[in-house]
Structure formats: structure tokens, C-alpha cells
Amino acid sequence: MAVGGSDGRTGYGVCRVRRATGAVLLLVGLTGGCAGLSARGADAAAAAEAFESAVRGGDHAAACFLLAPQTRSELMESRGAGCAAALGEARLPAPGARRGVQVYGRQAMVTFEADTLFLSQFPGSWRVVAAGCVPEPGEPYNCRVKGV
């Protein structure tokens, strides 16, 4: 899904992912990669794992509920379908085991063996703002699902 360009790396949604990534990396540098998860980190990880589990189980309606509102809207608009159908068409990778959770403020990045999710904290819950993200050297993450 491209936002502003055909390569999927331009536009406001990717800029947000780039800023979130920079903030997360700053936090990791300051904390030295603390071993234990904070309560907020555990909550972000739980939301990411619930999203991945719903997608893998084919329960796209449940996965859509875990998307941030702007991400859900962009997904439906870009694919011209309801959220559940559009999420199924996105062909998100099977995540594999969770590798890490990094939280800074109201933003989080949860990495799996084959997927990275970016989340934001909303009142009462963490929501996925980008999924199916892969790092590209010298570039922001390229995400299959993201908000604008």
C-alpha cells in the first residue's frame, strides 16, 4: 500500500513510523535494553500478540478491532473493502516468535522473527498503527498496513 509514492515509503504514515522508530531507538540507548518488561511494555506486547494471533487464526474482524482508527480507515480506503476483507488481502507475514518490545511514551515497537508492529496507546488499550513492517537499511520501515 503506497502513501504518496509507488514504493510505499513516502507520505505521512511512514514519517510517523520513522519518528516512532527514532524515539524507540533513543529509549533503548538510554535504558541499555533493560531485561524485564514494564507493565506498559507487557500490555503493548499482549496487544501485538493478540493482533498477530487473530490474523493467523483468520479472525480478521477481531484483528481490525485492534487497529488504530486511522489505520483501519486507511486500510479500508486503500483496498476498497471492509476492514476484515482488506486485512486478509494484506497478506501479513507469519510473525514467528516475539523478539523484543520497546516502549517510549505512548508509542511501542514489538518485533517478531518475521514481522514488526508499531503501536500507540489509546485510552484503555494499545492499538496497532502499522503491521507487516520490515526494516530497510537507511530507510524507514516498509509496512503493508499503516495509517496516514
Side-chain angles (χ1 to χ4, degrees):
M1 154 173 59
V3 179
S6 62
D7 65 358
R9 288 188 246 151
T10 59
Y12 180 71
V14 172
C15 291
R16 268 197 345 220
V17 171
R18 181 182 294 177
R19 281 195 307 267
T21 303
V24 167
L25 293 177
L26 173 63
L27 175 66
V28 169
L30 292 174
T31 62
C34 297
L37 282 182
S38 67
R40 289 182 34 230
D43 290 345
E49 289 175 352
F51 176 82
E52 293 286 16
S53 178
V55 170
R56 293 288 67 80
D59 191 352
H60 296 119
C64 284
F65 178 75
L66 297 169
L67 291 173
Q70 68 275 18
T71 304
R72 189 178 318 114
S73 295
E74 172 61 23
L75 176 65
M76 292 187 303
E77 183 178 318
S78 68
R79 300 216 181 244
C83 184
L87 195 54
E89 292 172 6
R91 296 182 184 185
L92 295 174
R98 189 181 78 209
R99 294 238 169 135
V101 178
Q102 300 167 4
V103 178
Y104 181 75
R106 297 169 49 98
Q107 306 296 314
M109 180 173 79
V110 180
T111 55
F112 295 88
E113 290 174 332
D115 195 6
T116 298
L117 275 66
F118 292 91
L119 299 93
S120 287
Q121 189 175 28
F122 286 79
S125 66
W126 285 89
R127 299 291 174 111
V128 176
V129 296
C133 302
V134 293
E136 295 189 9
E139 299 287 332
Y141 276 76
N142 189 7
C143 301
R144 292 184 184 185
V145 173
K146 61 184 174 276
V148 292

